[in-house]
Amino acid sequence: MLKNLLLTATLLAGSLFVQAQDREYVIVVHGGAGDISKVENDPVRSALYYAALDSALSIGDCILSAGGEGSQAVMAVINYFENNPLFNAGKGATCTAEGTFELDASIMEGKDLSAGAVAGVKTIKNPINAAYAVKTKTPHVLLSGSGADTFAAEQGLEQVDNLYFATPKTLEWIEKLKQESKKNGTVGCVVLDKQGNLTAGTSTGGMFKKKWGRIGDSPVIGAGTYADNNSCAVSCTGHGEYFIRHAVAFNLCARYKYLKESVEQAADYIIHTELNTNAGNGGLIAVDKEGHIAMPFNSTGMFRGYLYKEKGQTDVVKKVGIGKVMIVP
Ligand code: GLY
Ligand code: GLY
């Protein structure tokens, strides 16, 4: 009887739409937004990105399906992206005007608003691990430069030579730094875990040819990363200065919380209306406390993917995208 009523209600509602609060866990990832036309028009490179996004989601799925904490899933996914030279984070990071590598990362947990970040680090193999150590082992939120590198070394985190982050491609850029070559591949991950906690993390090499210790939005809590169990978890990618000015990640959570907008409405408004598309080029990924997902971008594309599991279902739903269209990997 109840089943029939529910079925009727569902049919009346016009679709077999499944309420997101029936989601056991959700994971959303991004590998940067920007002009992806070169990748999109190259089937081999596209396949590499699809495969990487698929792997990232599977890594998160392993942890979340076993009841693991969102922070562990976010860390594992971002470690994977940082170790993958396709993305502008960790190995594969873009270089500064001096031909060196300075990395930024942050992580935040929505259950207690605890957060950690590092900026301008040069010798930590996986900056997201240092961000997590700042969150869990210090009374601080953001450590920068050589102090952050020293802290990470003291924590026993793996250290590398600065040139470890180089790839044949970045070495080419360093050779001829005049060449205007941008790399849009900041990485991020947001999660709703089985315990109902939201977590967000972001990691980047920043912007090509950055100078004077420039720091973008990625390690800035409220700009590039934010998580609050009362609203959403958010990770951004794009031209960091604009994401800082518009406090994009917090702004989204505030619209959701105070204006009662859906995560999609809030995300779309910020990316498509509030940010100046020509200047504030980029996108974001977000998941709200009920498992609804948003992943808007105002660039031609964004490397992205999501995975969720409905309660009572055995299979997960998984999709990845580069340009406008999402596919089942
Ligand atoms: N500017 C690098 C990125 O966020 O993708
Ligand atoms: N969104 C990354 C940066 O601007 O550094």
Side-chain angles (χ1 to χ4, degrees):
M1 175 65 181
L2 180 64
K3 217 169 159 191
N4 280 344
L5 270 178
L6 280 176
L7 185 62
T8 313
T10 311
L11 290 175
L12 280 176
S15 74
L16 285 171
F17 178 72
V18 184
Q19 280 298 318
Q21 50 266 48
D22 292 334
R23 287 180 187 168
E24 210 171 297
Y25 60 88
V26 180
I27 176 163
V28 193
V29 299
H30 74 72
D35 178 8
I36 47 79
S37 49
K38 274 198 201 128
V39 176
E40 216 177 7
N41 295 328
D42 179 339
V44 175
R45 283 183 74 194
S46 296
L48 286 174
Y49 278 98
Y50 282 132
L53 293 163
D54 184 17
S55 299
L57 290 170
S58 296
I59 289 167
D61 187 24
C62 279
I63 294 168
L64 295 171
S65 60
E69 284 181 13
S71 59
Q72 297 311 312
V74 166
M75 299 262 290
V77 165
I78 294 186
N79 268 264
Y80 169 76
F81 280 135
E82 287 175 340
N83 295 342
N84 187 329
L86 285 176
F87 300 97
N88 176 14
K91 189 165 186 68
T94 196
C95 57
T96 65
E98 290 77 38
T100 59
F101 301 91
E102 296 181 2
L103 312 178
D104 305 330
S106 66
I107 186 163
M108 182 168 190
E109 284 197 73
K111 64 171 184 257
D112 55 4
L113 304 188
S114 61
V118 290
V121 293
K122 293 182 176 161
T123 57
I124 304 165
K125 184 178 176 209
N126 291 104
I128 195 70
N129 296 352
Y132 186 73
V134 172
K135 183 181 101 63
T136 48
K137 306 266 177 62
T138 79
H140 309 304
V141 168
L142 174 56
L143 299 184
S144 73
S146 57
D149 278 319
T150 304
F151 163 74
E154 284 172 10
Q155 292 298 315
L157 298 179
E158 192 171 349
Q159 300 288 302
V160 289
D161 185 85
N162 193 239
L163 269 183
Y164 155 83
F165 300 111
T167 60
K169 192 88 203 153
T170 42
L171 288 174
E172 256 175 54
W173 297 343
I174 295 171
E175 282 292 306
K176 35 182 182 171
L177 262 174
K178 313 165 276 316
Q179 181 189 323
E180 272 311 313
S181 172
K182 283 199 240 163
K183 182 165 181 181
N184 301 302
T186 294
V187 303
C189 178
V190 298
V191 158
L192 172 68
D193 67 19
K194 280 190 182 179
Q195 293 73 39
N197 289 319
L198 292 169
T199 308
T202 312
S203 182
T204 192
M207 291 190 95
F208 181 59
K209 280 170 68 172
K210 61 187 182 181
K211 286 164 79 173
W212 308 305
R214 179 266 184 190
I215 291 166
D217 59 313
S218 305
V220 179
I221 297 299
T225 305
Y226 203 77
D228 175 1
N229 274 10
N230 292 313
S231 53
C232 308
V234 187
S235 171
C236 301
T237 170
H239 193 153
E241 279 67 11
Y242 295 89
F243 283 72
I244 294 174
R245 287 177 179 135
H246 291 272
V248 167
F250 180 77
N251 201 336
L252 189 159
C253 292
R255 296 189 74 88
Y256 179 95
K257 196 164 154 182
Y258 303 123
L259 298 181
K260 311 288 179 211
E261 290 182 349
S262 70
V263 63
E264 271 192 308
Q265 284 170 326
D268 280 344
Y269 179 81
I270 292 165
I271 293 297
H272 297 298
T273 305
E274 190 159 319
L275 283 180
N276 170 342
T277 308
N278 296 321
N281 196 269
L284 62 81
I285 54 170
V287 58
D288 75 7
K289 60 185 181 181
E290 293 177 338
H292 300 102
I293 296 164
M295 34 184 22
F297 51 92
N298 61 21
S299 43
T300 57
M302 179 164 81
F303 302 114
R304 64 201 186 282
Y306 65 77
L307 178 151
Y308 60 82
K309 183 164 173 296
E310 305 284 3
K311 286 180 185 149
Q313 300 288 316
T314 42
D315 292 335
V316 294
V317 175
K318 188 192 232 187
K319 282 199 176 176
V320 294
I322 293 179
K324 302 283 174 222
V325 184
M326 301 284 288
I327 63 160
V328 177

